[in-house]
Amino acid sequence: MFAQTTPLKLDSAHDLHAALFNAMTDGVLVVNRQGLIIDCNPAFHRRLGYRKDELTGRSVTTLDPPEFAAQVPRRLAEIEQQGQATFETAHYRKDGSVMPVELNARSFQVGSELVFFSVVRDISERKEMETRLHEGIETYEAAVNTTTLGFWMVDMDGCFLEVNAAYLKLSGYSRDEFLRLRIPDIEALEQPAETARHIAQIIRDGSDRFRSEHRRQDGSRWPVEVVTSFSRVQGGRFFVFIEDISERVVQEHRLQLAARVFDTMDQAVVVTDASNRIVSINPAAVRITGYTFDEVRGKDPSIFASGRHDRAFYDAMWASLHASRHWEGEIWDRRKDGTLYAKWLGINAIHDSQGALYQYVSVFSDITERKKTEELVWRQANFDALTGLPNRHLFYERLEQEIKKAGRTRQGIAVLFIDLDRFKEVNDSLGHAKGDALLAQAAGRIGAKVRESDTVARLGGDEFTVVLPNFGDRANLERIARELIMTLAEPYELGDDDRGYISASIGITLFPDDADNLDGLLKHADQAMYVAKAEGRNRFGYFTATMQREAREKAALAKDLRQALGRGELEVYYQPIVDMTDEVIVKAEALLRWYHPERGLVSPMVFIPLAEELGLIHEIGQWVFGQALAAVARWRDMHDRIIQVSVNRSPIQFEKPNQPCCTDELRRFDLPGHSITVEITEGSLLSQSKHIEQQLLEFRNAGIEVSIDDFGTGFSALSYLRRFDIDYLKIDRSFISDLAEDDANTALTEAIIVMAHKLGIQTIAEGVETERQRDLLRQFGCDYAQGYLYAPALQMDAFEQLLGAA
Ligand code: C2E
Ligand code: MG
Ligand code: MG
């Protein structure tokens, strides 16, 4: 076959062998038993860089690096023994470099000599490949095992074939555990179907980079970024690098949050660079300033300035920013539309880590509304809503200022205390709305009579004050007071054809003559006003020394009154009330007396108002009530009948709810409710106190009757009589005393009696002193009478004598 394809013309077998020997691409080496080179072919010596003659006769050991040279005798023996052997060794080239070779050696008997015939193959390339492969694997393993990234190798089925230490550490799995798992076991975000689709896509694209979440061994999830590539080696492999991005996700969230806060916060934020050019503003800033970001980008924030603040203001701001890196304060700026607004601004100078100025961050909010509210609150705290005048608070402040000023300038101040006369009646009859309208008009009239520099204030209710600094002389002051009285007495148009008629009483006090302090001035002006009222209203009066003395006396009396009850100085007198048909005593009015240890008998007209003022009336009233019940019980036991006792009840007593229950008292004496009548004034009914209705109901439920005292002197609103279920009207003494002389009063008295009867209410005439009065009253059909004609208020035993005599 060989002869056919390569027709060589050779003479002998020897020639053939020699030709083959020389043409072989593998080296051939022949050595004898001593290891001496007998022969070699060109492929051998050329590859080593020798000529043939340089090698023949040499020991092969001279060709080998020492570690191989040492093996030569053992190798030869091995070949001799086994007939052939294949092994790797190396030869030096002539240039000293080493050529790795694979030797396939056989031993032959040539004549008497044993020769070794080796085919020598240059394996440098293979060796290099091997080394490189080896190194490659090492590098790969080093990379995979030293990286902090997780690494897997995964097969086409998603089974893990390899995992590195980093991933095991991150996921908490042991290596054995993990290599039993597949991707769907640790993928926490994708559904298995999604994962399958994803894998298919990676196979198509060759690689992918994506975010997901993995499940740790303990079940917790962690965010990862995955870089994977696909290779078709070994039937398909995925090489996957996994990065733990927990930190990054937290950072990202933080940034997102910061961005969201920036975008959604109510407060405006303007950021400028080191040269104070705007680099960023948030939506709140856009909203407040009216500028868009594009309109202010790169501009100086002075674009927002209103021009309201001077150079010094901004200089101070910058000085603070430089010194403390911060400034905070209120500032007026102008919106794009030109409107002014107040803002509370905080500026921080931000420095980088090297301490160089980096940015200014300004944060502000629009406080215009708040300032308006503050202003409103201030107005509400200092001004009277109804009249727009300064209120008590501001009045005190102004008066205090004037006193200080006057102390310096040695000028006088007049304080006028104005109280409208009978204002309450206008209020009660026309309603609060019209009462308010009247007050507002009165305030206007007072203001019109004084100078700008004078203070007019409303202290509350129908009380006004005027402070007149440098009022000039007395004549001028009195002219003002008279004008005030005149103007306030003019009719008030209150709408719906309603007119209000009132007058005013004015008390005047002077600084520093009457008092040198605020409290003293006010107290004295008040006292002077009361005196003006007592002297007939519609007038003014100065504070006097007498007033001061009286005020002092009142204070002393008040002190004594506090102790009167405890000291047994109070006593209840009883004034009989007779049935007009037969003049038999059927009732009595309990009237209180105070025996003062030094002053003697003090009139209830004096001490009852004082007790009301001091709040003692509750205790005293309760005591009188108990005394009255005791008297009724006593007389019942003596005469076997009920003599009903009227007990006066002050309007003040209705103001205090939750008083001791009257039914308990009645039960204590085993008395029926009608043993007592409670006398109340019309004023009590009109007071509109929520307590009065409830307490009157309580009386009625207990069977206690109710009388209207001094009927006709107040504002007699008939509707109230029906509403409150009144039992008796006590016609005031002023009507009775005028009977006969005054036709109008006579007619009124008769009308009251008729009207009362129509409403099912009985009448009691007070202060009946003459027989003529009695006869007229009887003629009008009055039911009961009380007065000196029968008896004055009597001490218990005197009253009882009268009872016994009847
Ligand atoms: P009032 O309830 O209108 O009592 C009638 C007053 O007229 C009594 O004066 C009585 O003494 C007097 N009076 C009776 N008949 C005549 C008469 O024929 N002619 C004249 N000129 N006067 C007569 P008094 O006792 O000085 O009491 C004065 C006021 O003091 C009482 O007026 C009543 O409002 C009040 N008061 C008396 N005691 C009490 C009490 O215990 N509690 C309360 N809250 N007020 C009382
Ligand atoms: Mg009375
Ligand atoms: Mg009376």
Side-chain angles (χ1 to χ4, degrees), residues 585-630:
I585 300 171
V586 288
K587 303 173 189 292
E589 179 171 6
L591 293 163
L592 196 52
R593 299 290 177 261
W594 178 20
Y595 292 101
H596 189 279
E598 285 131 41
R599 294 167 206 255
L601 194 63
V602 181
S603 165
M605 309 290 266
V606 173
F607 76 83
I608 290 292
L610 194 56
E612 289 175 341
E613 204 177 300
L614 299 172
L616 294 170
I617 195 69
H618 301 286
E619 196 190 337
I620 292 175
Q622 202 60 35
W623 180 76
V624 173
F625 192 84
Q627 293 292 108
L629 279 175

Side-chain angles (χ1 to χ4, degrees), residues 575 589-593 604-605 608 617 624 648-650 679 709-710 733 766-769 787-788:
Q575 184 176 30
E589 179 171 6
L591 293 163
L592 196 52
R593 299 290 177 261
M605 309 290 266
I608 290 292
I617 195 69
V624 173
N648 292 282
R649 189 172 174 88
S650 147
E679 289 191 13
D709 205 353
D710 306 336
R733 200 168 64 225
E766 286 187 318
V768 180
E769 295 181 350
Y788 294 167

Side-chain angles (χ1 to χ4, degrees), residues 418-449:
I418 307 173
D419 190 283
L420 304 184
D421 302 322
R422 296 188 189 283
F423 169 72
K424 193 174 171 345
E425 285 165 29
V426 174
N427 216 17
D428 289 339
S429 59
L430 299 179
H432 286 301
K434 291 194 172 157
D436 285 353
L438 189 150
L439 287 174
Q441 288 181 31
R445 291 183 194 182
I446 298 171
K449 291 291 171 200

Side-chain angles (χ1 to χ4, degrees), residues 354-584:
Q354 270 79 53
L357 177 67
Y358 169 55
Q359 281 182 334
Y360 295 101
V361 176
S362 307
V363 178
F364 57 90
S365 45
D366 186 344
I367 56 167
T368 317
E369 280 306 310
R370 193 177 84 198
K371 284 190 73 73
K372 270 191 207 150
T373 323
E374 275 169 10
E375 159 110 19
L376 193 70
V377 168
W378 181 81
R379 282 203 69 81
Q380 279 168 351
N382 289 283
F383 287 85
D384 168 45
L386 176 62
T387 61
L389 293 178
N391 64 8
R392 182 182 294 270
H393 180 253
L394 187 57
F395 165 68
Y396 283 177
E397 216 172 276
R398 295 251 177 103
L399 182 53
E400 198 79 76
Q401 279 168 12
E402 291 298 346
I403 289 171
K404 275 197 194 121
K405 204 160 44 171
R408 287 194 302 273
T409 59
R410 310 210 147 272
Q411 266 172 330
I413 306 170
V415 176
L416 274 58
F417 203 106
I418 307 173
D419 190 283
L420 304 184
D421 302 322
R422 296 188 189 283
F423 169 72
K424 193 174 171 345
E425 285 165 29
V426 174
N427 216 17
D428 289 339
S429 59
L430 299 179
H432 286 301
K434 291 194 172 157
D436 285 353
L438 189 150
L439 287 174
Q441 288 181 31
R445 291 183 194 182
I446 298 171
K449 291 291 171 200
V450 301
R451 293 167 303 183
E452 240 347 69
S453 55
D454 303 329
T455 297
V456 178
R458 179 175 173 227
L459 296 196
D462 55 358
E463 291 175 350
F464 296 88
T465 50
V466 180
V467 178
L468 304 170
N470 340 307
F471 57 87
D473 56 13
R474 287 257 177 150
N476 187 47
L477 182 59
E478 280 164 27
R479 181 187 56 76
I480 295 172
R482 258 194 307 275
E483 279 182 10
L484 284 173
I485 284 168
M486 264 156 57
T487 186
L488 289 171
E490 273 166 37
Y492 294 81
E493 296 298 338
L494 303 175
D496 308 327
D497 280 343
D498 277 329
R499 277 189 176 179
Y501 296 94
I502 52 160
S503 57
S505 301
I506 303 179
I508 305 175
T509 186
L510 303 174
F511 172 90
D513 311 7
D514 299 333
D516 62 359
N517 61 68
L518 190 145
D519 285 342
L521 283 171
L522 268 182
K523 204 169 75 195
H524 292 166
D526 189 48
Q527 284 164 3
M529 186 275 293
Y530 267 105
V531 171
K533 262 202 199 303
E535 284 172 354
R537 306 189 175 98
N538 195 27
R539 66 192 65 208
F540 70 87
Y542 288 101
F543 173 75
T544 63
T546 322
M547 281 177 214
Q548 189 151 26
R549 197 181 56 241
E550 280 169 2
R552 237 182 262 132
E553 269 175 26
K554 187 177 154 192
L557 201 63
K559 186 168 151 274
D560 295 340
L561 185 59
R562 288 181 198 282
Q563 293 159 342
L565 195 58
R567 289 182 179 166
E569 292 167 8
L570 298 184
E571 187 182 351
V572 179
Y573 276 45
Y574 297 91
Q575 184 176 30
I577 299 173
V578 302
D579 187 329
M580 289 212 86
T581 51
D582 51 14
E583 306 210 324
V584 171

Side-chain angles (χ1 to χ4, degrees), residues 751-771:
I752 290 170
I753 294 166
V754 171
M755 175 218 49
H757 287 166
K758 283 237 151 74
L759 291 171
I761 299 173
Q762 293 192 297
T763 50
I764 301 170
E766 286 187 318
V768 180
E769 295 181 350
T770 66
E771 289 178 355

